[in-house]
Amino acid sequence: MNPGQWHRLDNVFAIMSLVATVGLWMDLPPGFHRDALRWGSMVMVVCFQELGPWSLICTLIPIVTSLIVFAWFLRANPAHWRLYNGNMARGLLAMAAAFICFFKGLDERRDAYRAFHGFWHVFMGTAVYFFTKGCVTRPTGRGGGGGSGEGGGVGEEESALGAKRDSKCQ
């Protein structure tokens, strides 16, 4: 694998981590819509990275597109998910720091040791952690995770944990 191929692969997974996090926020149930969003996002990211792995616009288009889809989803489902909680605020703060480091890291002459690029990864990982922690678990009550579908088992335990986590996020 040459440096150009490695850079494309690195970009695909970095961009997909952001796009997948936005998909996680939607908390779509298993099925066609969730799969279409996941695979459609992956195809879009790969195509844009093949088009221009060194182009900032080819990096931003898939991310911005996922945010537009999320905004559209929230408009159609306003009560679906609580965006304003402590974990989301910490995640947004970490993401702001990540973007500052990302843009400072674009100047390779001033960031010869790639410190800003490294901090971009650290802060984005931190942001994704808090974004994931801030998601509200949807109660299933179906015995999900291999249960009988009649209630009981894993689904109710997940619901109870979700309700407990939901109360902390407010």
Side-chain angles (χ1 to χ4, degrees), residues 86-148:
N87 286 314
M88 285 301 296
R90 287 185 278 280
L92 290 171
L93 185 64
M95 182 179 263
F99 282 128
I100 290 168
C101 291
F102 176 80
F103 287 111
K104 285 188 171 278
L106 291 175
D107 185 1
E108 292 181 11
R109 287 170 280 158
R110 292 188 178 190
D111 190 22
Y113 295 110
R114 309 294 288 153
F116 281 112
H117 183 79
F119 282 120
W120 147 256
H121 287 282
V122 169
F123 284 123
M124 272 315 300
T126 303
V128 169
Y129 168 78
F130 283 118
F131 288 150
T132 303
K133 193 174 175 185
C135 287
V136 176
T137 303
R138 180 186 341 104
T140 60
R142 295 183 296 229
S148 65

Side-chain angles (χ1 to χ4, degrees), residues 26 41-42 49 55 58-59 61 84 86 89 115-116 121-122 138 140 154 160 168:
M26 289 188 230
S41 298
M42 180 63 123
Q49 283 305 296
S55 169
C58 288
T59 299
I61 286 176
Y84 303 105
F116 281 112
H121 287 282
V122 169
R138 180 186 341 104
T140 60
V154 177
K168 288 182 183 176

